[in-house]
């Protein structure tokens, strides 16, 4: 089961500032618990879509922290429009959440 | 290359004029810490816990399949806004002074119909503690920017305050420590963490008003009970039982001392 992301998107002078908090364990695969290694489990791709168009993709690895925070900006968004964020992890699990640009 | 040379020069100067420059370096370190903290404030993962907690608050759970929406946190049944800023307080129905976490246990027992002993006994990192940690974070967020108003008037509140104060200054254990050893002077810190002076209003608010907090290095959401438990561990005191009288008394002492200042919950720490 995955938990919802918290997404905030604000437009100013045609530039949309997007801030995303994702809930994810982000296990590095380096950690040992009770004598057994904990398998790697991390988000390896983040895609941001605005009006069906990809405005950002990110390839992530195990060095990104637990419950990661991501901020980026893009041009061309307007208030009231939607921005969708999708993450996919190395287990193939994914989650998409949407927010309205304010 | 140039930068390295400056560094060497600074080191030599520091040797020559010891005192003054050391103070300046400390100020710089302090500024660096401040900048780092500001960067962290941007995206506090505590928000994820708040969202979980809000869902749990409204969701029918347990054998009674009830919700916490009727739970009285002291400002009326089901009212969450501003409740945390007025806790701990005396509750007539339980005839006890309760902090947020012990009050939530009462409500979980009453409306969900669950046995809360396993929640009390569980380690803070155990799954059994997840719900109460999320709920605590949610309720605390609803008191963000609210002025702390804990003024012990009921005899049991007064007794808890006095007990908490005694607990705060009680020195003992293998390291001969008390809470006051670290928290009764201004300007102290352990590595990157400032140690608030809890004996006065502003300092106490820095401590009391910033928990529960998300701890970035551990990726964990810590409640005030967890914070207190870990202070006890660091002092090499016996581990206090979750929501025990001593921990609530300490909270009354901190909250009452912080009264008049503002809650900044949920917080974020290194």
């Amino acid at each position: 089961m995955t938990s919802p992301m918290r997404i905030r998107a604000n437009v100013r002078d045609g530039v949309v500032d997007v801030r995303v908090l994702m809930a994810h364990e982000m296990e590095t695969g380096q950690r040992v618990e009770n004598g057994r290694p904990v398998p790697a489990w991390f988000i390896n791709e983040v895609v941001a879509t605005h009006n069906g168009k990809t405005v950002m993709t990110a390839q992530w690895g195990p060095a990104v922290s637990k419950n990661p925070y991501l901020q980026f900006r893009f041009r061309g968004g307007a208030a009231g429009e939607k921005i969708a964020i999708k993450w996919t992890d190395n287990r193939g699990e994914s989650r998409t959440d949407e927010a309205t640009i304010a | 290359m140039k930068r390295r040379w400056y560094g060497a020069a600074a080191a030599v100067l520091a040797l020559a004029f010891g005192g003054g420059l050391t103070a300046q370096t400390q100020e710089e370190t302090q500024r660096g810490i401040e900048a780092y903290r500001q960067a962290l404030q941007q995206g506090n993962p505590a928000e994820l816990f708040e969202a979980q907690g809000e869902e749990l608050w409204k969701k029918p759970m347990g054998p009674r399949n009830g919700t916490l929406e009727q739970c009285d946190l002291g400002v009326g049944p089901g009212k969450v806004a501003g409740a945390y800023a007025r806790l701990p307080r005396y509750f007539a129905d339980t005839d006890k002074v309760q902090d947020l976490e012990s009050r939530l246990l009462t409500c979980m027992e009453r409306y969900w119909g669950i046995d809360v002993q396993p929640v009390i006994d569980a380690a803070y990192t155990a799954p059994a503690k997840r719900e109460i940690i999320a709920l605590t974070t949610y309720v605390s967020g609803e008191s963000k920017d609210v002025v702390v108003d804990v003024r012990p008037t009921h005899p049991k509140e007064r007794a808890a305050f006095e007990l908490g104060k005694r607990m705060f200054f009680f020195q003992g254990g293998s390291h001969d420590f008390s809470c006051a050893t670290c928290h009764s002077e201004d300007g102290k810190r352990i590595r990157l963490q400032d140690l608030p002076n809890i004996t006065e209003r502003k300092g106490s608010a820095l401590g009391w008003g910033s928990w529960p907090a998300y701890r970035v290095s551990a990726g964990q959401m810590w409640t005030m009970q967890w914070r207190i438990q870990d202070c006890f561990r660091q002092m090499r005191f016996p581990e206090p039982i979750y929501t025990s009288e001593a921990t609530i008394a300490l909270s009354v002492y901190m909250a009452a001392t912080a009264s008049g200042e503002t809650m900044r919950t949920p917080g974020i720490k290194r």
Side-chain angles (χ1 to χ4, degrees), chain B residues 213-231:
Chain B
Y214 183 82
R215 306 203 64 183
V216 179
S217 54
Q220 290 165 337
M221 192 69 217
W222 279 38
T223 65
M224 191 33 117
Q225 283 279 336
W226 193 347
R227 177 61 269 173
I228 290 174
Q229 185 253 20
D230 201 57
C231 280

Side-chain angles (χ1 to χ4, degrees), chain B residues 2 17 28 32-33 36 55 82 102-103 105 108 114 124 136 138 165 171 175 186-187 199 211 220 223 226 252 268:
Chain B
K2 212 171 191 182
F17 304 104
E28 260 168 48
I33 294 171
Y36 171 73
E55 210 180 301
S102 55
R103 189 62 189 170
L105 285 177
M108 286 157 86
I114 61 160
Y124 284 93
T136 304
Y138 161 60
K165 194 174 178 179
Q171 195 164 330
H175 287 36
D186 290 336
T199 60
W211 297 92
Q220 290 165 337
T223 65
W226 193 347
V252 173
I268 186 162

Side-chain angles (χ1 to χ4, degrees), chain A residues 3-101:
Chain A
S3 298
M5 288 174 235
R6 303 284 271 184
I7 308 170
R8 285 196 191 91
N10 295 294
V11 65
R12 212 177 145 187
D13 302 327
V15 178
V16 183
D17 185 27
V18 187
R19 289 170 293 160
V20 193
L21 256 176
M22 301 166 216
H24 202 283
E25 282 300 318
M26 302 298 285
E27 275 294 346
T28 61
Q30 310 282 330
R31 217 162 53 83
V32 175
E33 212 171 73
N34 304 323
R36 270 194 306 239
V38 182
W41 178 32
F42 55 86
I43 294 172
N44 51 16
E45 192 186 51
V46 184
V47 179
T49 325
H50 167 250
N51 287 342
K53 191 180 139 198
T54 301
V55 289
M56 192 224 50
T57 50
Q59 281 161 7
W60 282 5
V64 175
S65 82
K66 182 176 177 172
N67 298 327
Y69 170 69
L70 169 73
Q71 181 176 18
F72 67 93
R73 295 184 186 89
F74 71 95
R75 253 177 232 288
E81 293 177 345
K82 294 248 161 71
I83 174 101
I85 311 285
K86 180 188 183 183
W87 59 250
T88 311
D89 67 24
N90 67 328
R91 289 187 188 170
E93 203 165 16
S94 73
R95 176 170 185 108
T96 308
D97 286 288
E98 254 189 6
T100 308
I101 300 170

Side-chain angles (χ1 to χ4, degrees), chain B residues 49-98:
Chain B
F49 293 82
E50 286 184 83
Q52 278 172 33
E54 187 174 6
E55 210 180 301
L56 282 166
W57 181 263
K58 293 168 181 162
K59 192 172 155 192
M61 301 266 289
R64 292 225 179 109
N65 209 34
T67 78
L68 299 180
E69 285 169 304
Q70 311 135 65
C71 177
D72 185 0
L73 297 173
V75 289
K79 284 195 73 178
V80 182
Y84 190 47
R86 293 192 167 79
L87 286 168
R89 68 193 291 161
Y90 172 78
F91 287 88
D93 56 352
T94 51
D95 192 30
K96 273 182 193 158
V97 175
Q98 293 183 296

Side-chain angles (χ1 to χ4, degrees), chain B residues 191-213:
Chain B
R191 291 185 282 177
L192 279 176
Q193 293 300 299
D194 284 327
L195 296 168
N197 178 359
I198 289 171
T199 60
E200 52 94 31
R201 199 174 98 173
K202 280 209 155 41
S204 189
L206 283 173
W208 175 254
S210 66
W211 297 92

